């Protein structure tokens, strides 16, 4: 699961910013399992590619991406979380 997909519900519909639904624990665990063994460089590369792809097709949603990172924050080492936030801030 891509980070950007974490802001979508199970049916694939995008969750609005005012909607209180969160990704399921299953979705979070799946994303964690996919990302947990990646090096910080691999995580950076995945994030940068995803952002570039979204910018290219006009679907880049900074707020959704930041919410996704905030959702998995508890699973990440603090330094990794801070690096991810710093990266998306620089690519905003």
């Amino acid at each position: 699961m891509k980070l950007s997909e974490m802001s979508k519900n199970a049916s694939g519909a995008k969750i609005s910013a005012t909607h209180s639904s969160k990704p399921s624990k299953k979705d979070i665990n799946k994303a964690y399992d996919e990302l947990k063994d990646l090096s910080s460089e691999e995580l950076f590369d995945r994030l940068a590619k995803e952002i570039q792809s979204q910018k290219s097709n006009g679907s880049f949603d900074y707020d959704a991406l930041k919410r996704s990172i905030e959702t998995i924050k508890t699973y990440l080492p603090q330094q990794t979380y801070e690096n991810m936030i710093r990266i998306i801030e620089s690519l905003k």
Side-chain angles (χ1 to χ4, degrees), residues 3-64:
L3 288 174
S4 61
E5 293 172 339
M6 301 230 1
S7 65
K8 297 179 183 179
N9 65 20
S11 67
K14 202 164 186 170
I15 298 170
S16 73
T18 59
H19 195 278
S20 62
S21 294
K22 295 181 181 178
S24 72
K25 187 171 183 171
K26 182 180 176 182
D27 291 338
I28 294 170
N29 286 337
K30 182 179 176 186
Y32 172 74
D33 287 339
E34 289 179 14
L35 301 173
K36 69 180 178 181
D37 295 324
L38 298 178
S39 69
S40 60
E41 186 174 308
E42 290 169 319
L43 288 170
F44 173 80
D45 288 344
R46 283 186 131 191
L47 182 59
K49 285 178 187 175
E50 179 63 24
I51 290 171
Q52 184 59 41
S53 172
Q54 289 180 8
K55 282 185 172 184
S56 294
N57 68 24
S59 67
F60 179 67
D61 185 345
Y62 170 81
D63 294 327

Side-chain angles (χ1 to χ4, degrees), residues 60-86:
F60 179 67
D61 185 345
Y62 170 81
D63 294 327
L65 185 56
K66 186 166 183 178
R67 281 191 306 272
S68 296
I69 293 171
E70 293 297 331
T71 301
I72 63 170
K73 178 181 179 178
T74 58
Y75 296 101
L76 301 172
Q78 185 63 28
Q79 185 172 357
T80 301
Y81 164 76
E82 290 171 2
N83 287 339
M84 291 177 79
I85 294 297
R86 190 173 18 260

